[in-house]
Amino acid sequence: MKGDEEATGGSTEVGERRRYELDDQGFDEVPKKYRKFYRRWKGPGDELAPNEIFCPVCRIVIRSPREIRPGDRIYCMACMTRLRAVRGPDGRIVAEVEYT
Amino acid sequence: MRDFLDAYSIQYWLESCPQGYLEGTEYGHRPGEKEPELLLDDPTLREQAISTTVQLVVGERCALAASSGLINAAPDEASRRFLATQTLDEARHVEIFTQRLYDLGVKKSELEDVIDAFANPNLVKFAEILLEKVDKKDFVAGVVGQNVILEGMAFHVFEMMHATSEKLNPKFAHTLSGTIADERRHVGFGENRIGSLIQAHPEKKPEIERMQRDMSYYMLATFADRFRDTASREEVQRMRREAGSDGAGSGTWQGANLADLEPEEMERLLADTILGEFKKRLARIGIEYQTPARP
Ligand SMILES: [Fe+2]
Ligand SMILES: [Fe+2]
Ligand SMILES: [Zn+2]
């Protein structure tokens, strides 16, 4: 579907969520079995895929096996922060921190 | 979803840190790695590297004193345990940066004199403001000062240094990458734990905001001293020339090619990045960022 690729986060919020095969991208800061869920952030020009979200607390990229949509709850194991995906002012999906 | 306080376990720390990214390291870097010859053979470059490393030791000694001091001020068991792991992380940082001073040729008998001679007075003031809160067992202010302000600063300084060292000095870059990984947990604890405590203690906000403004001022003053120093400028230019670079030796950070920047531009980029992050982090925990005076 066109438009799908345009916004970062690319979520259409309707229908089946796309699924993603995750590979280990060398992020070694969490125990081995969780490494494929994270990657390093490459700086301001780094384009995020629809299954990826930036952790605003520790500045790494969290990767989900499926497309991320607003309302999803996400855990950043690198900084132990609970996040919730929301639609940002520019239409991109961003993570908001949830405090207890 | 697990309870976030449950994540602060020694078990998790063991699996991710000593049994994870630190496994097989020696003082934080790969075994056998050495400081570059260029740095060891050139007196100006060596002195600059010593001076920079002294600031890291000063910052880490402050973090060690603060994290250990806050253990008994913490209101819950999980925070005490987290701070115990942080205390060990900070002690390790003190050790690995001290080891770097030895690797750069500082003699053990001269260590304290070298630290006294090179420690930036503004960085010392920065540390004193935080340690005053810790001495008063003020947990909320202490954690904001340490895990948001001190660590927020260290996080970016380490990232920038990592970008400049990645190709020129892999030993130092590896030492830094383990500390950056540790800092992620520390800043995470700061935000997560304090986010809820601030809501319960709104009366503490003005004092914390004042502390943030004062610490930020001394941070900027430290950067001004470091980057405006003519020898530092010489260091950057020489490193670039010797590395045969038009940029090949330094990395990119925050979207900028560091090799293209003059020292003042680097100072501005670093200061603006850190202050911008302070603002966002403090807003998330309900504290209003106070703009510091520019030194
Ligand atoms: Fe540290
Ligand atoms: Fe730290
Ligand atoms: Zn994170």
Side-chain angles (χ1 to χ4, degrees), chain B residues 34-271:
Chain B
K34 299 254 183 303
E35 291 292 326
E37 295 283 320
L38 165 68
L39 203 61
L40 298 172
D41 294 345
D42 184 305
T44 314
L45 291 181
R46 193 177 74 93
E47 190 181 300
Q48 279 302 316
I50 289 172
S51 173
T52 300
T53 309
V54 163
Q55 313 317 320
L56 302 183
V57 173
V58 170
E60 297 296 353
R61 282 183 174 186
C62 171
L64 173 57
S67 52
S68 56
L70 288 168
I71 294 176
N72 285 323
D76 59 274
E77 190 56 34
S79 298
R80 279 191 280 277
R81 251 184 298 139
F82 177 82
L83 287 165
T85 65
Q86 183 173 349
T87 296
L88 201 49
D89 292 335
E90 304 302 357
R92 187 182 79 84
H93 301 167
V94 172
E95 180 173 279
I96 58 181
F97 293 132
T98 303
Q99 182 59 43
R100 183 175 193 231
L101 291 176
Y102 298 147
D103 295 345
L104 290 167
V106 172
K107 293 194 184 71
K108 288 199 176 170
S109 58
E110 302 167 345
L111 179 68
E112 295 306 321
D113 291 340
V114 168
I115 292 174
D116 286 346
F118 286 103
N120 185 291
N122 287 309
L123 183 60
V124 172
K125 287 290 288 178
F126 173 94
E128 281 169 0
I129 295 172
L130 166 58
L131 293 177
E132 205 178 287
K133 305 290 182 199
V134 176
D135 283 343
K136 288 187 189 142
K137 299 231 174 282
D138 185 337
F139 184 74
V140 180
V143 173
V144 175
Q146 163 170 276
N147 295 57
V148 180
I149 308 296
L150 168 63
E151 320 252 38
M153 169 181 81
F155 195 32
H156 293 286
V157 169
F158 291 162
E159 271 190 351
M160 190 182 196
M161 285 182 168
H162 182 266
T164 50
S165 317
E166 219 170 353
K167 295 211 178 79
L168 293 173
N169 189 346
K171 169 190 179 261
F172 187 42
H174 291 140
T175 307
L176 289 167
S177 62
T179 61
I180 293 170
D182 295 338
E183 297 310 345
R184 289 193 218 284
R185 287 192 301 280
H186 305 169
V187 294
F189 174 79
E191 283 203 28
N192 284 293
R193 196 66 201 97
I194 293 306
S196 51
L197 283 177
I198 284 285
Q199 283 171 4
H201 298 280
E203 76 283 358
K204 296 207 63 74
K205 284 187 192 181
E207 180 203 340
I208 291 175
E209 287 166 356
R210 221 173 309 121
M211 172 188 74
Q212 169 262 314
R213 189 199 54 207
D214 296 346
M215 288 180 78
S216 301
Y217 171 80
Y218 288 112
M219 175 190 82
L220 294 176
T222 307
F223 292 165
D225 292 342
R226 302 287 310 157
F227 284 98
R228 292 174 206 176
D229 186 292
T230 48
S232 307
R233 174 194 294 260
E234 200 179 307
E235 173 191 23
V236 172
Q237 285 167 347
R238 182 127 46 122
M239 288 287 263
R240 252 184 234 174
R241 256 200 323 275
E242 304 267 351
S245 108
D246 38 304
S250 306
T252 50
W253 182 71
Q254 286 296 106
N257 187 345
L258 296 173
D260 293 341
L261 302 184
E262 288 296 322
E264 309 87 77
E265 293 172 312
M266 274 208 205
E267 178 193 341
R268 205 173 324 121
L269 176 64
L270 182 62

Side-chain angles (χ1 to χ4, degrees), chain A residues 1-99:
Chain A
M1 188 191 289
K2 204 186 169 299
D4 228 358
E5 259 75 49
E6 283 174 8
T8 303
S11 172
T12 52
E13 286 166 61
V14 286
E16 279 284 294
R17 294 191 193 221
R18 271 186 277 174
R19 303 205 63 94
Y20 293 80
E21 201 64 57
L22 301 181
D23 54 334
D24 188 330
Q25 299 203 0
F27 185 79
D28 64 355
E29 300 181 19
V30 293
K32 277 199 182 68
K33 60 180 169 188
Y34 302 108
R35 288 181 185 171
K36 63 180 181 191
F37 296 111
Y38 302 92
R39 70 170 174 85
R40 281 175 218 289
W41 184 56
K42 299 185 194 85
D46 191 343
E47 279 292 320
L48 302 187
N51 66 320
E52 295 183 326
I53 198 157
F54 178 71
C55 172
V57 175
C58 73
R59 300 154 52 87
I60 60 159
V61 177
I62 306 167
R63 307 164 72 227
S64 164
R66 49 177 210 169
E67 177 187 331
I68 294 172
R69 291 185 177 173
D72 288 355
R73 298 182 79 197
I74 293 146
Y75 180 66
C76 178
M77 190 176 263
C79 67
M80 300 179 282
T81 300
R82 296 192 302 177
L83 304 162
R84 185 184 288 275
V86 296
R87 176 91 46 211
D90 61 357
R92 289 164 190 255
I93 293 180
V94 293
E96 250 176 22
V97 183
E98 288 201 321
Y99 300 118

